[in-house]
Amino acid sequence: MQSSLKQVTRLVTKQNVLSPYLGSVQIRGYATHDDVDLVVIGSGPGGYVGAIKASQLGMKTVCIEKNATLGGTCLNVGCIPSKALLNNSHYFHMAKGGDLANRGIECGEVKLNLEKMMGEKSKAVGALTGGIKMLFKGNKVTHLEGHGKITGPNQVSVLGPDGEVTEVVNTKNIMIATGSEVTPFPGIDVDEETIVSSTGALSLKEVPKKMIVIGAGVIGVELGSVWSRLGSQVTAVEFMGHVGGMGIDMDMSKQFQRIMTKQGIKFKLNTKVTAAKKEGGKIIVTVESVKDGKVENMEADVLLVCVGRRPYTQSLGLEELGIELDNRGRVPVNSRFQSVLPNVFAIGDCIAGPMLAHKAEDEGIIAAEGMVGGPVHIDYNCVPSVVYTHPEVAWVGKSEEDLKSEGVEYVVGKFPFAANSRAKCNNDTDGLVKILGDKKTDRLLGAHIIGPGAGEIINEAVLAMEYGASCEDIARTCHAHPTCSEAFREANLAAYSGKAINNM
């Protein structure tokens, strides 16, 4: 056995052995055998999970990451830091807004220490990214730092900051898990100081007096909620006619908008941003109504651009290998996550489907299992979505709009958290549970929740749908009392029998 795993997997190249092919490809004759079973490009939720699973299945695995820390967008500038700010800004809002005083907890003068709040966010990020490094070590996954570029059907080169090849790994399989990046807004240059993307919005040095958010989807509403709680006057400008992004049930979207408006966020729907410029220390944003063409100038201290994300699939060497991208820059794959080259796989944000960390994780695991002959199956109808505002919004399965367009007969069961005993005890009663069941079979078709702990409760719906449960199955399943999850049971009871117990 070699003295270290790195000696097995790394082949350090010299500049004078590079061929003109791609300008950065080592001559194929340099290595005489395949060193590893799998190279994963990217260490985000899909990549690092897929790499660990592959190693657990007995595959000699290497994971290449271009950034200094592991975890990808999610852990570094996405899911994790935003949830830390959402959680702590909610505590500040409870104290500053008088909610704690109403509960008999008098704090005196409440002050925001934004630097310390940002420090707590960074601590959470550091602990989790460092945790992946330990998981790699414990599962014998080799981590190489640099930009991973596929330079042959069975070869991945690692490029340094200067673009020069530093290492080459020969492998039987390749998994592309490069994730996504912020979609730029045409004509608006992001400086991450006053005109920011979601990345910059996670690290503002002070609370802006006024903030305009372009986009009222998941990311826009979450980050808008953070800064609204901390004292900013937030206005979200949305091209579409609803908030919450794609997939949300329209009935729930309206409820969600009402709750967020009550919390102080303003919405301008059916409105497009046509320009933005810096002027006199402010940002002047020009917007236009989609319906009547009315033009208006709005002023802000910070402009947050949240118009979505796009796959990060450039500079990977795909075109040279004959792997063509679709019209949205994604890698086309089959049901086993194989590209047109059967040993080159792709998962997560760089393929079709919702750009969600948990979707990428599942694909990473399933793709790795498929490589060693295991079954490959994922039901995308059972992938949940969550908006981590307060209250949270979560859904899985079909919306009413989906069922109507598909011609499926369905029944609706609703239960408000205002009638839930635990929500009453907690004085946290905004929202409801809405259940959609098949009118003929009673099978659970969709679950939609606005309320406390919606992101946790929705997982019960996911499990039920994975096993093909009926609304009656859930209604007859004992739930602990008092819990907020009883609202989920009651909504299913209303769907299957026509009436809940604890609501008129």
Side-chain angles (χ1 to χ4, degrees), residues 14-235:
K14 298 180 181 179
Q15 189 170 354
N16 62 4
V17 299
L18 299 181
S19 77
Y21 176 62
L22 302 184
S24 62
V25 184
Q26 185 191 23
I27 297 172
R28 283 291 289 122
Y30 185 87
T32 58
H33 63 279
D34 293 336
D35 294 299
V36 299
D37 297 305
L38 174 64
V39 170
V40 179
I41 305 176
S43 71
Y48 93 77
V49 169
I52 289 174
K53 187 62 179 180
S55 186
Q56 291 174 345
L57 292 170
M59 302 174 75
K60 193 174 293 182
T61 307
V62 170
C63 184
I64 302 172
E65 171 56 54
K66 63 182 175 63
N67 294 319
T69 54
L70 298 169
T73 295
C74 175
L75 270 74
N76 289 279
V77 290
C79 316
I80 299 306
S82 63
K83 301 313 163 283
L85 290 180
L86 280 160
N87 186 58
N88 291 332
S89 65
H90 177 58
Y91 289 143
F92 173 78
H93 183 68
M94 289 180 72
K96 187 74 172 178
D99 191 3
L100 291 185
N102 292 337
R103 298 168 187 267
I105 305 169
E106 298 179 354
C107 305
E109 184 181 3
V110 179
K111 294 181 179 180
L112 172 65
N113 186 331
L114 185 59
E115 184 179 356
K116 191 166 186 179
M117 184 178 285
M118 291 294 177
E120 287 300 301
K121 173 206 70 176
S122 299
K123 280 168 60 177
V125 170
L128 289 168
T129 55
I132 297 175
K133 185 176 289 188
M134 294 301 295
L135 288 170
F136 273 6
K137 184 177 180 181
N139 286 279
K140 299 181 180 178
V141 174
T142 299
H143 167 215
L144 303 183
E145 186 175 331
H147 177 86
K149 185 170 186 177
I150 304 172
T151 47
N154 296 97
Q155 187 182 78
V156 180
S157 294
V158 182
L159 310 183
D162 57 0
E164 296 295 325
V165 175
T166 59
E167 305 178 63
V168 170
V169 183
N170 295 292
T171 177
K172 295 175 184 175
N173 299 291
I174 299 168
M175 182 188 292
I176 302 168
T178 46
S180 60
E181 61 184 355
V182 172
T183 301
F185 193 99
I188 298 179
D189 295 325
V190 171
D191 59 19
E192 300 298 15
E193 292 182 1
T194 55
I195 301 179
V196 299
S197 68
S198 56
T199 300
L202 294 168
S203 301
L204 294 178
K205 300 294 188 296
E206 60 183 13
V207 179
K209 185 176 180 181
K210 291 183 179 180
M211 172 183 277
I212 293 175
V213 182
I214 305 178
V218 174
I219 298 173
V221 177
E222 285 185 352
L223 293 177
S225 183
V226 167
W227 293 106
S228 175
R229 294 169 186 169
L230 298 180
S232 184
Q233 298 174 31
V234 176
T235 302

Side-chain angles (χ1 to χ4, degrees), residues 22 46 83 139 150 155 200 244 259 285 289 365 386 388 433 447 475-476:
L22 302 184
K83 301 313 163 283
N139 286 279
I150 304 172
Q155 187 182 78
I259 293 170
V285 181
S289 170
I365 291 172
V386 182
Y388 293 90
V433 180
R476 293 190 180 278

Side-chain angles (χ1 to χ4, degrees), residues 38-44 46-48 62 64 148-150 156 173-180 311-319 321 323-325 329-333 337-341 343-351 360 363-364 367 371:
L38 174 64
V39 170
V40 179
I41 305 176
S43 71
Y48 93 77
V62 170
I64 302 172
K149 185 170 186 177
I150 304 172
V156 180
N173 299 291
I174 299 168
M175 182 188 292
I176 302 168
T178 46
S180 60
Y312 185 85
T313 49
Q314 301 303 312
S315 304
L316 297 178
L318 300 179
E319 291 183 3
L321 285 177
I323 300 176
E324 296 183 1
L325 304 176
R330 302 173 299 194
V331 180
V333 294
F337 305 103
Q338 294 169 302
S339 68
V340 291
L341 297 182
N343 71 311
V344 178
F345 300 75
I347 63 164
D349 288 3
C350 60
I351 69 171
E363 290 174 342
M371 291 177 200

